Amino acid sequence: MKKLVGQVTPAERDVIQSLFERRNGLNELAKILTADNAELYEKLVTDMGVTGTKFQHWWDTMAQHYGWESAEGGNWEINFDTCEIYLVTP
Amino acid sequence: MMVREVFNEMVLKEQSAPWQGGIAKNITFIVTKDCQLACKYCYLVGKNEKERMSWETAKAAIDYILGHEEDFPEQSVVWDFIGGEPFLEIELIDKICDYLKTEMFRLNHHWFDSYRFSFSTNGINYHTDRVQQFIAKNHSHLSIGITIDGTRQKHDLNRIYKGDGPLERGSYDDVVRNIPLWLEQFPGAGTKVTISSADIPYIRESVLHLYGLGIHEVNINCVFEDVWREGDDRLFEEQLMQLADDIIDGGWYQDYACSFFSEHIGKPLDAELENQNWCGAGKMLAVDAAGMFYPCTRFAAYSLREKRPIVIGNVRDGIDKNKLRPFLTLDRTTQSPAKCLECEVASGCAWCQGENYDAADTPTVYQRSTAICMMHKARVRANNYYWNRLFRKLELEGEREREQWEENKPKSNDTIC
Amino acid sequence: MTQSVDAMLQYMIILLDDTSTSFCHYDVNKTVRRLISLDHLRRGIRFAMVENLTIQMVYPDYELPAEYHEAINTIDHSDIVPSALGRDADVIVLDGWDAVPPSDGVAVIRTSLAHLLNHAATVSDWLARLTRLNIVITDLERMSEADCDEYRAFLSQVGTAIERLYVNGRSPQLNTLTDRMMLTAMNNCGAGDTCITLASNGKFYVCPAFYYENEQDFVGDLDTGLDIKNKQLYRLDHAPICRKCDAWQCRRCVWLNRKTTLEVNTPGHEQCVVAHLERNASRELLQRIRRQGTFLPERPDIPEIDYLDPFEAMHNS
């Protein structure tokens, strides 16, 4: 089930969209980069950690700021086009 | 514990505009000038099996582009691969994409956070292991369009295999078998249909056929070349009106889109406020197997019937910015003849800068070709019919239905090249 | 020559010989004499009379047969003559920096930028003798950023000399510095719009440069008349960069446009920058002359701008 629980500003949306894109990019880069390329591999691993942290931090901060409804076993989703936040429950 | 995820699908059945439309740089690799097909309407007059891009040329192009970040300030990039048929060069494309990803990351290039790999394919090789491996590896950054023209009859009328002599073997069966896999992997994908004079009688059944295949977005346009015969506009209008009836009576409008029908076409345009160029040539960049840069693929030699190519640089010397100035200052009124400026139904009438150049009386991009004029006017008349009928239907069904439809209406993509 | 949005054909240049002197950006790449036929000359003159065109005759460095002079004198015209010919004319094209310009005459000097930069003093001396000097930089499309600084300094130096001449009661004209002060609107070459060229082969060209670049690039002939395709593209209102520009003294050379950008209506970066260096130097000169006394009181100041290439200003906005 999907329920509309809030909305963020376009500027806030841009932040998470950019992190989303970066995370996807890092994940796909991880498929082709091996430890042989030590320098770049190290950079990738570090970046994945940093991006993951920023990603989580955005959701934590926004959820607290807007007071979004939550549910056990559910997750939030954002529609990048409308900036709307949905609570998705099984 | 709450799992936080993001998604990028429409909540509603609305097809999206081009990804990062208006803020993305489109960079095209013409990886090959070869194709399995010899489509009768294909504007590529110089296709051949010899001009395949080498890895060295591709790498040099990438090194130049990524090494000049200040010259490419666009927020996002679409790395586009065309041919001929791009998937004939899947090995090269895979190597290019791997290098792009690695280099954008290594250089801390701003495009690493916002890029796509885009393909327009005939779909014949879509199911092959090599293509499927590539898709699996890059799925979240891919945009793939398969071209299918409609029914078997319509598709095979034009999209025939090359070299089969008078037998003219169509490619429909080899493409349609890959549609379910494609839609499973890219559920929002749309197809692009091109209409030439001989295709007009098949428009209605073809669009409905594509809907029936599960394709929710049909981007369809008439060719810009001067191929139209007397009476084509009347036939075209009739086909579109029949299609309008079927879409409305069959309820397809709720969930499917056809770019022929748009609320925004057929109005006069303001000379100052609506003076922008239609085409993105010059804001795009194309590179071919010889390492030459073009303002768009349509200015490469293999696309031009009459004129010399417009080369704006090469991978060794870079881009000659003076050659880009005419493209970046093009506006609607400067290139349009008086009849277009005075036209009461001007909005939505498109043009292709490459075709304008190829058809012009002098080697200029500032002379708009009007070969499509009567077809646009026919489209506008049928479009008026469509909206008048649809709105009346929705009104009769009640205000709520109208509002609901307005909110959920599917959109098509006006990008035509 | 002047040009406005609704201008019509007003001028015709007649190249009397393939080796007629260049008075503009193009080089004369033909070395073999080919005199225009007397028939073509007479028909060209008649064409000009019928169309109400003012003729400029461009001469080679040798004397024409008497019957040519006879034909030429059947119409009011002006003569553009190489200094090597050694005779008076409306416009003398100097054959280098060692030439001696005529007193109270009008002269043209064609020069590379490098040579020009070394001759600020010569230009100043010449301006003390001449009524008007036109400087044509023949390699401006190759101008670099560093060249811009040097050209700016050159204009400033010559500007000082002109200021001194004006204060002393002489008012010579220099196309690159005084034209902008005097103008109230664009005043460009007008090739293809207000001006057409009849070459020695009896065919029409947009300007002499188009003839010397490609003889097949003609736009009609004396038999069939003028036929300029996409004629509107030579007009100011069809030049998106130029129509908003106020470097009114710019030559707006359509041949250079085509050479650098492939479009006759679009100037290259270098042509714009040179024109704006001159415009800005004219602005300073106007201010300096006005500090010495009343000068052109009916004209407003030339406004200060923060760009040298209007394309970049358009693009950034």
Side-chain angles (χ1 to χ4, degrees):
Chain A
M1 209 179 85
K2 193 183 273 187
K3 182 183 175 190
L4 180 66
V5 295
Q7 191 165 25
V8 294
T9 66
E12 290 165 342
R13 181 270 319 270
D14 290 347
V15 173
I16 194 64
Q17 188 167 14
S18 178
L19 288 167
F20 173 70
E21 286 284 334
R22 187 164 192 85
R23 194 182 66 168
N24 284 345
L26 293 169
N27 286 340
E28 288 186 348
L29 185 61
K31 293 178 189 171
I32 58 168
L33 217 55
T34 63
D36 298 345
N37 191 342
E39 197 181 334
L40 216 52
Y41 190 77
E42 180 69 23
K43 183 174 154 73
L44 172 69
V45 171
T46 306
D47 203 328
M48 289 178 96
V50 170
T51 302
T53 304
K54 284 181 182 171
F55 196 83
Q56 188 65 36
H57 178 72
W58 187 92
W59 283 102
D60 291 342
T61 309
M62 291 297 132
Q64 192 176 14
H65 177 68
Y66 287 107
W68 293 328
E69 180 186 333
S70 61
E72 190 60 39
N75 62 284
W76 290 310
E77 291 182 351
I78 180 171
N79 182 323
F80 287 142
D81 296 296
T82 61
C83 301
E84 290 169 334
I85 306 295
Y86 291 86
L87 174 64
V88 182
T89 49
Chain B
M1 196 176 109
M2 185 76 78
V3 180
R4 281 99 189 226
E5 263 304 334
V6 289
F7 75 110
N8 195 24
E9 290 167 26
M10 299 288 185
V11 177
L12 311 171
K13 283 289 183 189
E14 193 171 349
Q15 298 289 344
S16 58
W19 179 74
Q20 299 291 76
I23 59 170
K25 183 81 179 179
N26 198 299
I27 298 175
T28 304
F29 292 88
I30 306 170
V31 289
T32 178
K33 292 177 183 170
D34 192 15
C35 182
Q36 305 100 317
L37 304 181
C39 303
K40 292 176 187 172
Y41 52 55
C42 184
Y43 64 85
L44 302 174
V45 292
K47 282 196 292 189
N48 65 76
E49 295 168 18
K50 292 174 196 156
E51 291 181 79
R52 300 168 58 203
M53 186 175 279
S54 68
W55 163 242
E56 289 70 27
T57 298
K59 182 177 179 301
I62 294 166
D63 288 343
Y64 171 77
I65 293 163
L66 295 183
H68 290 78
E69 191 171 356
E70 70 283 1
D71 289 337
F72 299 92
E74 292 84 353
Q75 187 183 316
S76 309
V77 64
V78 177
W79 302 102
D80 195 15
F81 297 89
I82 69 155
E85 166 52 34
F87 283 151
L88 287 177
E89 294 294 335
I90 188 64
E91 302 286 347
L92 173 69
I93 288 169
D94 190 35
K95 198 170 177 179
I96 290 173
C97 292
D98 282 357
Y99 187 65
L100 280 169
K101 287 183 285 190
T102 307
E103 284 300 284
M104 287 191 292
F105 180 65
R106 187 180 70 79
L107 295 166
N108 298 317
H109 198 290
H110 71 282
W111 282 344
F112 184 75
D113 287 343
S114 196
Y115 70 92
R116 290 289 183 273
F117 298 131
S118 174
F119 300 84
S120 186
T121 172
N122 60 32
I124 293 169
N125 285 353
Y126 188 82
H127 64 289
T128 60
D129 290 346
R130 200 59 197 85
V131 172
Q132 286 299 308
Q133 283 161 12
F134 175 80
I135 290 171
K137 197 162 116 180
N138 296 286
H139 186 266
S140 71
H141 287 93
L142 290 184
S143 163
I144 301 179
I146 292 182
T147 302
I148 179 165
D149 272 2
T151 60
R152 175 183 282 105
Q153 191 182 11
K154 156 72 174 90
H155 184 95
D156 287 349
L157 189 71
N158 283 308
R159 300 186 69 81
I160 55 171
Y161 281 93
K162 72 175 180 189
D164 277 0
L167 292 175
E168 290 204 348
R169 187 162 60 96
S171 58
Y172 176 83
D173 290 337
D174 294 328
V175 179
V176 81
R177 69 176 174 185
N178 285 327
I179 298 297
L181 175 62
W182 172 54
L183 291 176
E184 184 189 321
Q185 291 171 330
F186 302 98
T191 193
K192 190 167 159 287
V193 180
T194 307
I195 301 296
S196 195
S197 181
D199 308 312
I200 295 173
Y202 308 101
I203 292 173
R204 175 190 149 271
E205 63 183 41
S206 290
V207 172
L208 295 174
H209 180 77
L210 294 171
Y211 286 173
L213 289 175
I215 300 170
H216 286 241
E217 181 178 328
V218 178
N219 296 308
I220 186 165
N221 69 280
C222 294
V223 297
F224 293 103
E225 286 79 1
D226 190 8
V227 297
W228 306 106
R229 301 185 194 128
E230 201 181 331
D232 276 355
D233 53 340
R234 188 56 56 189
L235 281 175
F236 182 54
E237 185 179 333
E238 281 168 17
Q239 275 291 310
L240 291 192
M241 285 174 68
Q242 287 172 22
L243 177 61
D245 286 339
D246 285 327
I247 289 176
I248 293 168
D249 295 340
W252 293 102
Y253 59 87
Q254 294 172 30
D255 219 11
Y256 291 78
C258 171
S259 63
F260 271 143
F261 301 120
S262 162
E263 284 178 87
H264 307 294
I265 71 163
K267 314 277 192 308
L269 288 171
D270 185 275
E272 283 181 21
L273 300 175
E274 295 166 305
N275 193 26
Q276 65 274 23
N277 194 24
W278 179 282
C279 172
K283 292 173 185 161
M284 305 184 276
L285 180 68
V287 57
D288 73 359
M292 297 298 173
F293 286 135
Y294 305 92
C296 153
T297 58
R298 194 62 175 73
F299 291 90
Y302 81 142
S303 304
L304 296 165
R305 303 178 304 275
E306 304 289 339
K307 300 288 196 310
R308 293 165 64 181
I310 291 189
V311 176
I312 57 165
N314 61 64
V315 297
R316 291 171 304 281
D317 305 322
I319 293 170
D320 178 352
K321 291 178 186 170
N322 273 338
K323 301 281 193 300
L324 281 177
R325 288 162 74 99
F327 291 94
L328 299 180
T329 48
L330 264 167
D331 57 45
R332 183 177 64 85
T333 54
T334 308
Q335 65 187 298
S336 299
K339 71 170 182 175
C340 297
L341 301 181
E342 292 156 8
C343 181
E344 291 293 321
V345 294
S347 67
C349 185
W351 61 85
C352 161
Q353 223 66 55
E355 174 56 22
N356 285 0
Y357 171 68
D358 212 5
D361 295 326
T362 59
T364 181
V365 294
Y366 276 86
Q367 185 190 343
R368 179 172 165 187
S369 164
T370 57
I372 207 168
C373 179
M374 66 177 188
M375 304 306 285
H376 172 71
K377 287 175 177 166
R379 179 193 169 196
V380 168
R381 289 191 294 270
N383 190 61
N384 292 341
Y385 172 79
Y386 175 85
W387 292 106
N388 280 318
R389 255 214 74 188
L390 180 59
F391 284 147
R392 184 63 181 154
K393 178 175 192 268
L394 293 170
E395 274 161 14
L396 291 174
E397 286 173 357
E399 200 58 37
R400 205 173 142 270
E401 278 71 18
R402 167 80 186 258
E403 281 169 12
Q404 205 169 30
W405 181 84
E406 286 282 0
E407 225 168 78
N408 297 336
K409 64 186 173 188
K411 281 183 185 163
S412 58
N413 183 349
D414 255 349
T415 303
I416 46 168
C417 48
Chain C
M1 289 174 232
T2 57
Q3 181 191 25
S4 63
V5 168
D6 57 353
M8 52 190 286
L9 200 57
Q10 296 169 41
Y11 303 94
M12 182 159 80
I13 295 165
I14 297 184
L15 299 177
L16 294 167
D17 189 277
D18 268 1
T19 62
S20 286
T21 186
S22 170
F23 57 97
C24 205
H25 290 290
Y26 65 95
D27 287 327
V28 173
N29 53 18
K30 295 180 189 296
T31 53
V32 178
R33 290 177 182 178
R34 177 169 67 166
L35 190 60
I36 189 170
S37 72
L38 204 52
D39 176 54
H40 282 154
L41 177 61
R42 286 182 178 137
R43 288 167 63 198
I45 289 170
R46 201 167 67 168
F47 180 90
M49 286 176 169
V50 169
E51 299 292 335
N52 254 339
L53 307 181
T54 302
I55 291 187
Q56 294 174 313
M57 300 285 180
V58 189
Y59 289 75
D61 63 358
Y62 66 92
E63 268 303 335
L64 302 183
E67 61 267 32
Y68 278 71
H69 287 294
E70 206 175 293
I72 288 167
N73 284 324
T74 60
I75 189 169
D76 187 24
H77 68 278
S78 53
D79 290 334
I80 300 174
V81 169
S83 59
L85 203 55
R87 75 167 175 87
D88 280 346
D90 302 288
V91 178
I92 301 286
V93 181
L94 303 173
D95 61 1
W97 288 105
D98 295 329
V100 179
S103 293
D104 296 322
V106 176
V108 172
I109 178 75
R110 298 180 67 250
T111 175
S112 68
L113 180 68
H115 280 112
L116 177 66
L117 295 174
N118 289 328
H119 286 91
T122 314
V123 170
S124 303
D125 290 346
W126 285 356
L127 286 171
R129 292 169 57 90
L130 288 165
T131 306
R132 177 178 175 85
L133 177 65
N134 280 355
I135 296 175
V136 178
I137 303 172
T138 52
D139 57 354
L140 73 78
E141 73 274 20
R142 290 192 289 275
M143 200 161 183
S144 68
E145 295 297 321
D147 291 336
C148 289
D149 291 335
E150 293 193 52
Y151 188 50
R152 190 184 283 114
F154 166 87
L155 290 168
S156 177
Q157 194 179 338
V158 174
T160 302
I162 293 175
E163 180 192 356
R164 204 177 306 126
L165 289 165
Y166 272 62
V167 169
N168 291 332
R170 271 191 65 85
S171 48
Q173 297 174 13
L174 177 64
N175 62 330
T176 56
L177 273 173
T178 65
D179 282 4
R180 178 59 182 82
M181 297 193 304
M182 312 292 179
L183 291 167
T184 55
M186 270 290 187
N187 183 293
N188 314 127
C189 157
D193 179 23
T194 58
C195 182
I196 200 70
T197 291
L198 178 66
S200 43
N201 61 0
K203 290 183 163 59
F204 291 119
Y205 294 84
V206 168
C207 85
F210 285 69
Y211 171 63
Y212 287 109
E213 189 170 81
N214 177 10
E215 229 175 288
Q216 295 309 308
D217 204 2
F218 58 92
V219 289
D221 56 40
L222 288 165
D223 296 321
T224 57
L226 263 178
D227 180 23
I228 306 177
K229 307 275 192 222
N230 280 320
K231 189 177 188 308
Q232 76 282 0
L233 295 181
Y234 297 94
R235 293 202 321 249
L236 182 62
D237 64 339
H238 274 66
I241 297 175
C242 305
R243 67 188 173 208
K244 292 177 181 165
C245 178
D246 78 342
W248 294 331
Q249 87 296 341
C250 178
R251 199 174 293 264
R252 204 164 82 77
C253 173
V254 296
W255 174 69
L256 271 182
N257 287 357
R258 195 177 71 170
K259 189 175 175 185
T260 52
T261 71
L262 308 179
E263 292 285 349
V264 294
N265 69 343
T266 310
H269 171 74
E270 297 78 11
Q271 189 173 189
C272 288
V273 168
V274 166
H276 280 76
L277 289 170
E278 293 163 356
R279 174 213 182 272
N280 292 345
S282 301
R283 175 177 177 272
E284 284 168 25
L285 177 59
L286 181 61
Q287 287 176 338
R288 280 156 59 180
I289 294 173
R290 281 179 169 170
R291 278 197 285 270
Q292 308 284 345
T294 304
F295 181 67
L296 300 174
E298 72 286 2
R299 300 277 162 78
D301 282 338
I302 299 171
E304 186 173 12
I305 51 176
D306 60 359
Y307 57 85
L308 287 177
D309 184 350
F311 169 81
E312 284 163 9
M314 279 170 75
H315 216 53
N316 292 336
S317 67

